[in-house]
Amino acid sequence: MFFVDTIEVSGLGNRSYLAGGEETAVAVDPPRDIDRVIAAAARRGVRILHVVETHVHNDYVTGGLELARVTGADYLVPADARVSFERVPVHDGDRAVIDGDAGLTLRALATPGHTPHHTSYVLEENGTAVVVFTGGSLLIGTVGRPDLVEPRLTEHLARAQHASVNRLAAELPEEATVFPTHGFGSFCSSSQAEGSATTIGKEKVSNEAFTRDVDTFVADLLAGLDDIPAYYAHMGPTNAAGPAPVDLTPPAVADADEIAARLAAGEWVVDLRNRVAFAAGHVSGSFNFEAEGQLATYLAWLIPWGRPVTLLAESAEQLAVAQRELVRVGIDRPAAAATGEPSAWVRQGEAPASFPRATFVDLASRHPAEGVVVLDVRRASERADAHIEGSVHIPVHDLRRRLREVPEGEVWVHCAGGMRAAIAASLLEAVGRDVVAVDDSFDEAEKAGLTVRNS
C-alpha cells in the first residue's frame, strides 16, 4: 500500500506532496517552510529518502535543498536545470526506489513546457503507474503557463507543453491520479483550474490540451496569458543559487515612534488586519494587505524588491502566519513588527486615519457625477468580460507606478471582491487622495445597473 499526503500552500495556489509506504517516502516540490513536510513525515512514521523538484520554480522559494540537508535525503533535480549546488541530476526514464518493501518506485518523465527542463514523476506500485506528480505540466483542466522563462521561448515551450501532456496520456493508464503542484490559484497556471483531484482519463476528456489540435491549443494558450507577478523575476535565480534556511523567530518590536520613523524613511509599513478593520482606523501611510488573502503574492508583487517592511498585526498568531507566508516568496525578515490596534501604533496626540467603504449600490447612486472617479483595479482578463462605463482601469499590481494617471476627484476603487480594492485604496490614501473602497462582489455591479458587457 502507498499513501500520498497533500501539503497545501493555499496563499500561493500551490501544493506539495509526501508519498511513500510504511517506512520511507519522497517529498515533491516542498515549500520553503520545511517543518510542515517534516511534521507530515512524523505523523506517518516514515523517513524521507528522496526530495524531488519537478522544475526550478518561478513562483516561490523552494525548501527542497534545506529539506534534503536536514533529512539526509537524496535531492533529485532535473539534469538540465542550471543550479549552483550539489544534487542528483535526473534524466528522462531514471528511477528511484521509494519503499522497496512496498514495491514503490519513482520514474522520471521529461515533460518540458512550463520550463525547458520540466520533469514529472510517476509513482509505480509493483511496476504499475498509480500516481503522477505533474508539477507545472498537466494541471486540473489546464496546463502550466509557458511564458515564465524567456519571451523568445514562449511559443516553443507552449508547443512542448502540448506534446508533454499528451505523452503523459499516452504512457500512463487512465486511472492514474494526477497531482499537480500549480493550478489552485497560482499565477503559474495558464488559467484558473477548478477541482481538487483528477486522473489522466478525466483530463483526456475535458482538458483542451487533449481536445484541441496543437495549433489551436497554442494560439488560445498564448492569447489567454495574463501579467506575470513582478517578484517571479527573483524566484528562479534564488532557487538556482540554493535558498538559505528560513528564520521564523519573531521580529523586533516597533513602537509608535519607530513606525513613524520607518514611514518617514520611505520604508513599507504593512497592516495585516482585515480590510474592514483597516478602513475603520489605521496608521496614516500604511498599506493594507490582508493576512487572510493572497498576502505573499500581492505584497511581493507590489513592494519594491528588497525594501524593508514593518508588519502590523492584530495578534502574535496573525504575525507568525504572515511571516511564514512571506518567507515562501523570499521576504525573509521583517524589519520590525507590532501587534494590537492602531491606537497603540500612532504617536501621542495623533489619531488613526480612516476611509469609507461602500457597495456597488452606493456607487450607482453617485456615478456618473462631477468629481467622482471610478477606478477598476482588476486584471485585464477580468475587465475583458465586463466593466463599469466611464471607469479608469489600472490593475492593482501597476497602480503604485501609475498613481499620477488617476484623475483628480474622489476615487471609488473596486475589484472583483474587495481585497484588491482595499490594497489600492490604501496606496491612494497614502499619497493624499480621497478614497472610497467598494467592498462588494462585482456581480452586484450589474444588478445595480453599472456594468457594460463587452462584446
Side-chain angles (χ1 to χ4, degrees), residues 265-282:
E267 297 182 12
W268 274 40
V269 174
V270 172
D271 192 324
L272 301 167
R273 296 173 303 142
N274 71 69
R275 56 186 181 265
V276 176
F278 182 87
H282 54 268

Side-chain angles (χ1 to χ4, degrees), residues 3-224:
F3 72 87
V4 178
D5 287 343
T6 300
I7 299 166
E8 296 276 359
V9 190
S10 55
L12 296 176
N14 289 329
R15 291 177 178 174
S16 297
Y17 303 97
L18 182 74
E22 291 187 2
E23 296 190 7
T24 51
V26 58
V28 181
D29 288 342
R32 196 174 181 201
D33 47 330
I34 61 171
D35 57 328
R36 301 181 65 208
V37 185
I38 293 171
R43 286 192 295 270
R44 286 284 183 179
V46 296
R47 182 164 61 92
I48 299 174
L49 284 184
H50 303 281
V51 177
V52 304
E53 302 282 7
T54 56
H55 59 294
V56 175
H57 302 283
N58 288 294
D59 65 324
Y60 70 92
V61 180
T62 180
L65 182 63
E66 180 66 4
L67 181 61
R69 186 190 68 79
V70 168
T71 62
D74 289 336
Y75 191 28
L76 279 59
V77 178
D80 290 340
R82 296 182 177 181
V83 296
S84 302
F85 48 81
E86 291 294 321
R87 89 288 194 197
V88 177
V90 177
H91 301 84
D92 186 42
D94 285 354
R95 294 176 182 271
V97 176
I98 303 305
D99 191 315
D101 291 341
L104 297 177
T105 60
L106 201 68
R107 175 166 61 95
L109 203 63
T111 47
H114 187 50
T115 67
H117 59 264
H118 190 283
T119 300
S120 298
Y121 296 91
V122 181
L123 184 67
E124 297 177 339
E125 184 178 38
N126 297 319
T128 300
V130 290
V131 165
V132 58
F133 299 102
T134 55
S137 184
L138 176 62
L139 310 184
I140 300 177
T142 184
V143 297
R145 59 193 296 174
D147 61 330
L148 302 181
V149 177
E150 160 61 54
R152 291 172 296 182
L153 293 178
T154 297
E155 182 173 350
H156 167 76
L157 289 176
R159 291 182 178 277
Q161 189 72 297
H162 185 270
S164 290
V165 298
N166 278 275
R167 181 190 181 192
L168 289 170
E171 296 193 15
L172 301 178
E174 292 195 349
E175 60 270 21
T177 306
V178 176
F179 287 106
T181 299
H182 304 310
F184 310 96
S186 167
F187 283 91
C188 274
S189 175
S190 61
S191 62
Q192 292 308 304
E194 295 183 1
S196 59
T198 192
T199 63
I200 291 291
K202 289 178 181 177
E203 292 305 307
K204 286 171 68 175
V205 172
S206 60
N207 195 308
E208 292 180 353
F210 300 114
T211 60
R212 298 190 177 188
D213 66 86
V214 62
D215 290 334
T216 303
F217 167 80
V218 169
D220 290 346
L221 177 62
L222 299 184

Side-chain angles (χ1 to χ4, degrees), residues 351-409:
S354 64
F355 56 73
R357 296 165 50 248
T359 66
F360 282 109
V361 169
D362 297 326
L363 176 57
S365 71
R366 295 287 309 278
H367 176 70
E370 187 73 24
V372 172
V373 177
V374 179
L375 177 63
D376 180 351
V377 297
R378 297 174 301 156
R379 296 187 301 278
S381 59
E382 298 172 280
R383 187 175 171 88
D385 291 331
H387 67 279
I388 294 175
E389 188 171 11
S391 61
V392 176
H393 180 230
I394 303 176
V396 68
H397 55 267
D398 285 336
L399 181 59
R400 186 178 59 83
R401 64 181 180 84
R402 297 175 59 186
L403 287 168
R404 294 181 179 179
E405 297 179 29
V406 181
E408 292 299 317

